[in-house]
């Protein structure tokens, strides 16, 4: 057996070099660009041991596939298995020797990584914490090893399907992606052992549920590949390579079956939406004929709208060119492109959406002309901004969203409402009062989404737009948008750096505008001080029992306001994956099972009957799973 | 020719039977997704499909029609038939492109039918979309066909091209999303109704012709032997070699990117003062004459200061300094920025405030500027005290006319004496971050300054200068050479070499000097309170905890107020900046128990302290930052 393992180890030598190279190369590259002694602890262990991220999983998966695809199957394909069968060793011994050799090589990944981590820690530890945290290293090695074991087993099993293995892998990935859409805990990012590690104090909480899943999948796949190696592999090869074999037919049927399955799944999902249909198949149903669509062209718009809303649509379209001229005049925009408007669809999230020379509006959102004009003015602003920037604003969505929404909100409030601009800044005033109006965060939509509420882009963005106008004049916003048309003005930049460069190119000073932004916010805070003090920060008392999390508010809610709370499965969850709970007698509850990992994320805030909520930043509590 | 087509169908028909419906099914999912996500037009789905599944389909087609034929050497049989090689290749090419075009056409038709309900389509728009798609298919299919003939090197070339494309988009100003075939299906595809992307169309047609010509050349030249040779399978070693080469190129690219020195930062309306390598830019944010005069004054002060320090320390790579005005900052609040894609030291302050005091700003700016100029080597913990000490030592040197005698009238000396009265051991120098958390930044800086003053008194100004030059000046590498340098010449060795004395002996001397100083300044220190505090957690529920803090201040604080500061910690203990903490101000009275205005959850880690302002010291004193886990 020892001889066998040695022989297999020799065969794995090239892979060993590759594994060593891949593990060490990033550190060698790092040594040429940074001093390890100055690395902070959260960088060294945080990114090197604990939260290795999805990329690490992908790389280790690819390496495992590389190792496994040539390990067992090649003996069968090259027919060298027949020579090995002639030796006084069993197939089981052969299988075990090969598996041990390749696992030994793969184990170099966590071992070398950990050694390098310890060396860097030796160089960079500070008096704030000099410990090497060997318990973390052991946990990390265990999890890395388990992940490699599972990936290798999957690779070994799929390797017997030869090129169809890739197809199966793809289908598995596809299936997981669809599954993840409906059940966030099955999202690929959440299935890795190294994403969003949770700690209680200094104790790393091992995700035992995931570990169990990995062990189960790993052992099952290993057993299947063992069975195939014992004899099934040859038969499978015959099936896959024979002409007009049943293998092909099986594959065909399997693929067709899969397609039907997915279709059925989608139909079921659609059917589930119709509760009446599901619960009472014999119930009376009423089918109305669907409405036809109508079109109308004005000087600036080409509109398709549902004929059932003709009166409303026409009333708006009678005034639409006026709206356009108001907005275009503000931006000194002289383009003559006709904007396409689709008024046939409604949205639960938006009153309207704008694209390149096109916008969508929900006619059902407002009955009054003023409301529709506001929406049209808002969305037309978006279209003109995009046109001025030659569609480049959209390309920098993460850094410019607040500008886009802020300017549109500013135009909407300034030209299409009767109220004074400052009077409409209550939400901004509350946020300012809580010192929650950082400009640096506003320019990073992803950070805003992760930490707070992307709706801030509207309220705070409006103040920023007002600050531009106040400091640089009415023409400034259009000029700034137009500066985006030349990519040289922002190439390679994001966030504040991008804005600084854009302002500089447009001939303005960002600092002055940011200064004005804070001044306007302070003014709003003062103007609304009476209401602002009533809307104090909320700190709920949290309790967990029987898989439920209870949030209790013991402070009084100001009249005309209500407290809202929403949740997300993890900090990476998308906006449309959030869910809400209602407060009843000051208490809201949610199920602990809906959260991924060991943290329950919640966001609390105030809301009036209508209007955007005024939220506090996202907060998390640890779960007692 | 028809026989060849029949042969291809009989060989690959079953796969096409699966792949094409699957692709179309994929398109339907994309289309449904686009509708659910409220995309602007169903044609967005065609665009997405064209850039994803359709490219995969083309790749698959060329793999089956070309790669499999050549790698299995079955093209030799075809060559034995009475048809030319060119006909054989052309048949394969035409068959593939017809299938690809038919698939994309089907998706386009379907999207147009779906879209007709919400959009109006005119002939020009349809012609524009069709032209874009036709050229896209021609260019991309010809490319994949050519790549198929490159045999065993095709995957490496795909990876190389992908890396090159990423490199191009990230490090240059080339807009990859709007050029080549990707430009034909850019985000205007579904909406642009009038303007033809003429340049892109011409480039893609030319590229398509070139790819096609290269394919034919490879398939025909030397009786097709080039394509035949390239189609040989790669050996195991060749595969590993290619893998290592590709990975090395990837890392080399990332190193080049990291090593690229970013352009210096720049500010609008800046008042600049430049002498040699030292450059100071101060934003002139005010339109008034007085504001401009203050900006000029600050620029002059900073410039003179930094030029003198550069000369004193022999700083070889001084960082460019940028100061911007922020009127919503208190006059004693200074903030430094971390610059991405730009170099220099950027700080924001409120120098227009009537309470602005340059002397308070001096230590801060010296610290930040030297950190940046030394590539942060000066912040390495065992030698961090030198940087912090120098930032107080330099102004003290100017104000005290280079006196090495401690003076209670100097706030910096009084702070050092205060530290001596509460706690300072020689070994604290080696645990500087921890010590800084115990006494607060201003006090720690004064202690370090006292160390330098003492050293000057004991060993002479020249030796101290030599020591400071090694620590804070000269050439400071920002890579692994810095680690080697610190390993070969740690601060104790540098001390020995420059001062000629033992580092540990000096540390003990330093501690005893501060103790003596606290005795000498006893009267002045009598008004300075010593602050202590204890914390306790009280359960609000099984998981929510309330933090109760009991401060003890002796003597009573003059300002009559106590500030609680706290912030959350991760499991990784790193230096936290004080300005990141939350604060709560309370009126002090004996036996006070402060209830922190927020709840914490069990297992959370926090860092907290109490502080009070001491006017005599010109700074806050703290009870010491404590890192605790919520029980």
């Amino acid at each position: 057996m020892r001889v066998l393992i040695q022989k297999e180890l020799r065969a794995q030598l090239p892979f060993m070099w590759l594994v060593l190279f891949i593990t060490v190369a990033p550190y060698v590259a790092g040594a040429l660009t940074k001093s390890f002694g100055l690395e902070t602890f959260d960088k060294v262990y945080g990114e090197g041991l604990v939260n290795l991220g999805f990329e690490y999983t992908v790389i280790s998966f690819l390496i495992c596939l590389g190792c496994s695809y040539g390990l067992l199957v090649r003996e069968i394909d090259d027919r060298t298995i027949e020579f090995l069968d002639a030796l006084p060793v069993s197939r089981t011994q052969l299988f075990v020797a090969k598996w041990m050799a390749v696992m030994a090589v793969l184990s170099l990944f966590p071992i070398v990584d950990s050694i390098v981590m310890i060396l860097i820690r030796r160089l960079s530890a500070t008096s704030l914490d000099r410990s090497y945290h060997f318990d973390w290293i052991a946990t990390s090695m265990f999890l890395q090893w388990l992940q490699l074991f599972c990936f290798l087993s999957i690779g070994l099993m799929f390797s017997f399907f030869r090129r169809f293995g890739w197809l199966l892998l793809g289908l598995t990935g596809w299936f997981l992606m669809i599954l993840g859409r409906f059940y966030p805990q099955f999202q690929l990012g959440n299935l890795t052992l190294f994403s969003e590690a949770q700690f209680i104090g200094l104790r790393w909480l091992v995700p035992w549920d995931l570990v169990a899943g990995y062990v189960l999948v790993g052992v099952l796949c290993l057993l299947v590949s063992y069975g195939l190696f014992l004899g099934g592999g040859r038969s499978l090869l015959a099936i896959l390579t024979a002409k007009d074999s049943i293998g092909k037919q099986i594959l065909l049927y399997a693929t067709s079956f899969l397609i039907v399955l997915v279709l059925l799944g989608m139909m079921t999902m659609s059917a589930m939406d119709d509760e009446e249909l599901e619960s009472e198949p014999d119930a009376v149903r009423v089918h109305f004929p669907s409405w036809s669509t109508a079109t109308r062209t004005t000087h600036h718009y080409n509109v398709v709208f549902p004929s059932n809303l003709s009166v409303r649509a026409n009333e708006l379209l009678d005034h639409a060119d006026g709206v356009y001229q108001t907005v275009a005049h503000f931006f000194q925009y002289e383009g003559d492109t006709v904007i396409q408007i689709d008024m046939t669809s409604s949205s639960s999230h938006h009153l309207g959406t704008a694209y390149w020379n096109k916008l969508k509006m929900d006619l059902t959102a407002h009955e009054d002309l003023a409301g529709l004009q506001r929406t049209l003015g808002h969305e037309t602003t978006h279209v003109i901004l995009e046109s001025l920037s030659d569609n480049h604003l959209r390309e920098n969505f993460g850094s410019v969203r607040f500008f886009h929404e802020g300017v549109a909100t500013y135009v909407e409030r300034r030209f299409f409402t009767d109220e004074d601009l400052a009077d409409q800044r209550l939400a901004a005033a509350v946020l300012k009062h809580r010192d929650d109006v950082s400009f640096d965060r506003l320019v990073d939509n992803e950070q805003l989404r992760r930490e707070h509420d992307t709706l801030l882009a509207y309220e705070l963005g409006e103040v920023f737009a007002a600050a531009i106008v106040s400091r640089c004049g009415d023409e400034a916003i259009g000029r700034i948008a137009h500066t985006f048309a030349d990519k040289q003005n922002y190439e390679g930049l994001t966030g504040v750096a991008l804005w600084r460069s854009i302002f500089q190119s447009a001939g303005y000073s960002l600092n002055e505008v940011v200064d004005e932004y804070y001044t306007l916010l302070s003014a709003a805070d003062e103007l609304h001080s009476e209401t602002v003090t009533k809307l104090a920060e909320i700190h709920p008392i949290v309790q967990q029992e029987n898989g439920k999390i209870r949030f209790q508010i013991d402070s009084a809610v100001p009249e005309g306001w209500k407290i809202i709370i929403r949740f997300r499965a993890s900090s990476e969850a998308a906006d449309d994956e959030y869910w809400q709970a209602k407060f009843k007698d000051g208490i809201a509850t949610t199920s602990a099972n809906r959260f991924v990992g060991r943290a329950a994320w919640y966001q609390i805030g105030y809301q009036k009957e209508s209007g955007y909520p005024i939220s506090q930043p996202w907060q998390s509590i640890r779960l007692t799973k | 020719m028809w026989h060849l087509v029949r042969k291809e169908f009989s060989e690959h028909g079953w796969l096409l039977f699966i792949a094409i419906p699957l692709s179309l099914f994929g398109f339907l999912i994309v289309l449904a997704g686009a509708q659910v996500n409220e995309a602007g037009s169903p044609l967005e789905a065609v665009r997405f499909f064209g850039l994803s599944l359709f490219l995969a389909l083309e790749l698959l087609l060329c793999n089956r029609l070309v790669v499999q034929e050549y790698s299995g050497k079955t093209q030799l049989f075809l060559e034995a038939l009475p048809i030319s090689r060119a006909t054989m290749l052309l048949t394969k090419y035409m068959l593939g492109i017809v299938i690809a075009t038919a698939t994309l056409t089907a998706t386009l038709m379907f999207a147009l039918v779906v879209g007709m309900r919400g959009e109006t389509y005119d002939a020009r728009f349809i012609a524009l979309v069709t032209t874009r798609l036709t050229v896209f298919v021609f260019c991309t299919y010809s490319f994949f066909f050519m790549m198929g003939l490159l045999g065993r090197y095709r995957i490496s070339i795909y990876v190389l091209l992908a890396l090159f494309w990423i490199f191009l988009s990230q490090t240059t100003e080339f807009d990859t999303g709007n050029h080549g075939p990707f430009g034909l299906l850019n985000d205007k595809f579904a909406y642009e109704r009038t303007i033809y992307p003429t340049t892109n169309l011409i480039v893609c047609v030319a590229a398509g012709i070139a790819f096609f010509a290269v394919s034919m050349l490879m398939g025909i030249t030397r009786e097709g032997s080039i394509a035949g040779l390239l189609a040989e399978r790669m050996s195991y070693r060749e595969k590993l070699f290619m893998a290592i080469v590709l990975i090395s190129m990837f890392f080399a690219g990332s190193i080049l990117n990291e090593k690229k020195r970013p352009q210096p930062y720049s500010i609008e309306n800046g008042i600049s003062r430049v002498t040699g390598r030292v450059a100071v830019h101060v934003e002139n944010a005010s339109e008034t004459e007085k504001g401009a005069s203050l900006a000029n004054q600050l620029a002059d002060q900073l410039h003179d200061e930094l030029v003198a320090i550069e000369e004193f320390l022999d700083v070889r790579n001084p960082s460019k300094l940028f100061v911007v005005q922020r009127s919503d900052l208190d006059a004693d609040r200074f903030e430094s920025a971390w610059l991405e894609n730009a170099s220099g030291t950027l700080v924001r302050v409120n120098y227009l405030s009537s309470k602005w005091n340059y002397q308070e700003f001096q230590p801060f700016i010296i610290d930040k500027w030297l950190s940046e100029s030394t590539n942060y080597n000066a912040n390495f913990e065992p030698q961090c005290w030198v940087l912090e000490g120098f930032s107080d030592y330099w102004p003290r040197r100017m104000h005290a006319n280079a006196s090495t005698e401690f003076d209670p009238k100097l706030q910096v000396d009084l702070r050092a004496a205060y530290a001596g009265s509460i706690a300072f051991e020689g070994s604290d120098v080696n645990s500087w971050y921890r010590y800084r958390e115990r006494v607060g930044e201003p006090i720690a800086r004064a202690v370090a300054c006292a160390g330098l003053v003492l050293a000057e008194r004991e060993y002479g100004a020249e030796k101290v200068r030599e020591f400071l030059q090694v620590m804070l000046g000269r050439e400071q590498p920002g890579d692994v050479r810095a680690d080697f340098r610190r390993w070969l010449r740690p601060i104790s060795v540098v001390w020995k070499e420059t001062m000629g004395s033992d580092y540990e002996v000096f540390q003990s001397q330093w501690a005893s000097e501060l103790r003596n100083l606290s005795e000498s300044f006893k009267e002045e220190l009598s008004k300075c309170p010593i602050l202590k505090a204890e914390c306790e957690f009280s359960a609000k529920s099984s998981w929510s905890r309330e933090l109760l803090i009991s401060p003890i201040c002796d003597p009573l604080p003059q300002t009559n107020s106590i500030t609680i500061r706290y912030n959350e910690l991760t499991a990784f203990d790193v230096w936290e900046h004080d300005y990141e903490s939350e604060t709560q101000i309370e009126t002090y009275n004996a036996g006070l128990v402060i209830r922190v205005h927020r709840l914490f959850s069990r297992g959370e880690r926090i860092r907290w302290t109490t502080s009070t302002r001491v006017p005599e010291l010109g700074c806050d004193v703290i009870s010491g930052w404590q890192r605790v886990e919520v029980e």
Side-chain angles (χ1 to χ4, degrees), chain A residues 411-523:
Chain A
V411 169
E412 175 190 334
R413 289 181 182 175
R414 178 172 161 187
F415 297 108
F416 304 106
T417 60
D418 298 329
E419 226 179 326
D420 187 63
L421 276 172
D423 292 339
Q424 300 178 58
R425 289 189 187 130
L426 174 63
V430 173
L431 293 163
K432 167 66 185 167
H433 193 72
R434 293 175 187 166
D435 200 15
D436 211 3
V437 290
S438 158
F439 179 70
D440 291 0
R441 186 179 61 191
L442 189 63
V443 297
D444 184 345
N445 196 53
E446 182 50 31
Q447 192 189 352
L448 202 61
R449 191 194 65 75
R450 224 173 28 241
E451 295 176 5
H452 211 296
D453 185 350
T454 48
L455 292 177
L456 259 62
Y458 291 81
E459 293 295 342
L460 298 181
E462 187 274 329
V463 181
F464 183 73
I468 297 176
V469 172
S470 161
R471 278 285 169 137
C472 314
D474 268 3
E475 73 288 353
I477 293 180
R479 205 157 130 192
I480 287 167
H482 187 60
T483 310
F484 274 91
D486 186 351
K487 288 194 98 171
Q488 282 190 344
N489 292 331
Y490 65 85
E491 188 73 47
L493 299 176
T494 54
V496 178
L498 176 145
W499 279 106
R500 200 171 291 284
S501 172
I502 286 292
F503 268 72
Q504 211 164 332
S505 307
Y508 303 119
S509 162
L510 178 66
N511 289 323
E512 282 181 19
V513 172
V514 172
D515 211 23
E516 181 69 15
Y517 162 74
Y518 285 109
T519 308
L520 288 177
L521 284 168
S522 300

Side-chain angles (χ1 to χ4, degrees), chain B residues 281-301:
Chain B
H281 307 273
V282 178
E283 183 195 27
N284 179 18
S286 166
E287 286 165 6
T288 63
E289 210 168 285
K290 192 185 169 200
S293 146
L294 287 172
N296 272 298
Q297 188 187 337
L298 179 61
D300 287 334
Q301 282 173 320

Side-chain angles (χ1 to χ4, degrees), chain A residues 64 68 99 103 106 146-159 214-215 217-225:
Chain A
C64 287
S68 57
W99 182 83
M103 271 317 292
L106 288 174
L146 183 67
Q147 189 160 291
L148 292 167
F149 160 72
C150 182
F151 290 165
L152 179 71
S153 303
I154 293 171
L156 284 176
M157 187 180 77
F158 282 127
S159 70
Y214 268 76
V215 171
V217 172
V219 169
L220 277 177
C221 292
L222 195 66
L223 286 176
V224 171
S225 46

Side-chain angles (χ1 to χ4, degrees), chain A residues 14-15 18 21-22 25-26 29 31-38 40-42 45-46 50 74 123 125-130 136 163-164 174 199-202 248 251-252 255 259 262-263 291 293 295 302 304 340 342 344 347-350 355-356 358 360 390-391 395 487-488 491-494 497 500 504 507-509 511-512 514-515 518 539-544 621-622 624, chain B residues 14 17-18 22 25 29 38-41 64 68 117-120 169 172-175 178 187-188 191-193 236 240 243-244 247-248 251 255 258-259 265-269 283 285 324-328 340-341 348 375-377 379-381 430-434 437 478-480 482-483 486 540-544 571-575 597-599 601-605 627 629:
Chain A
F15 252 111
L18 183 67
F21 180 77
I22 289 175
L32 296 173
T33 55
K34 62 189 173 197
S35 162
F36 290 123
L38 299 174
T40 52
F41 189 26
D42 52 346
Y45 271 27
V50 178
R74 219 167 48 169
L123 288 173
T126 68
S127 57
L128 296 173
D129 183 1
R130 291 201 192 279
W136 295 359
R163 74 189 71 164
F164 297 104
W174 188 32
F199 284 85
I200 280 207
L202 293 175
K248 279 180 193 166
L251 190 70
L252 274 175
T255 315
I259 291 168
V262 176
L263 274 174
W291 291 97
T293 54
T295 60
N302 186 2
V304 180
Q340 309 288 319
D342 178 0
T344 58
S347 162
S348 53
H349 309 302
H350 314 287
Y355 310 87
W356 173 254
K358 177 176 175 177
K360 278 186 174 184
D390 195 21
N391 212 24
E395 286 177 15
K487 288 194 98 171
Q488 282 190 344
E491 188 73 47
L493 299 176
T494 54
R500 200 171 291 284
Q504 211 164 332
Y508 303 119
S509 162
N511 289 323
E512 282 181 19
V514 172
D515 211 23
Y518 285 109
H539 297 289
I541 298 168
V542 186
Q543 272 189 317
Q544 297 178 49
I621 50 158
R622 278 158 183 77
T624 51
Chain B
W14 66 274
F17 184 70
I18 294 171
L22 259 181
F25 177 64
I29 290 178
E38 295 162 18
S41 161
R64 296 294 300 186
Q68 191 168 312
R117 191 176 159 79
E119 290 180 282
T120 49
S169 80
T172 69
E173 290 176 1
F174 184 76
D175 184 6
N178 277 321
D187 46 12
K188 290 181 188 170
Y191 310 110
E192 179 57 67
R193 290 174 171 254
Y236 196 52
L240 282 174
I244 288 176
I247 294 168
S248 307
F251 283 117
I255 291 169
E258 293 246 328
K259 281 272 180 188
Y265 183 77
S266 62
I267 48 178
E268 276 283 304
N269 302 330
E283 183 195 27
V324 294
Q325 159 69 19
R326 273 292 291 272
S327 49
D328 61 337
E340 198 179 352
N341 297 320
R348 55 186 185 191
N375 275 315
Y376 298 97
N377 283 305
N379 293 79
F380 186 60
E381 190 182 19
N430 302 325
S431 307
W432 192 251
Y433 290 174
R434 180 68 76 186
E437 283 207 336
D479 49 36
V480 76
D483 296 315
R486 284 193 291 265
K540 291 287 280 184
S541 74
S542 58
W543 275 86
S544 295
F572 309 101
D573 279 318
V574 293
W575 171 251
H597 291 165
R598 65 152 280 192
L599 297 178
S601 65
R602 220 171 75 197
E604 201 173 348
R605 295 186 73 229
R627 293 171 181 248
E629 181 181 333

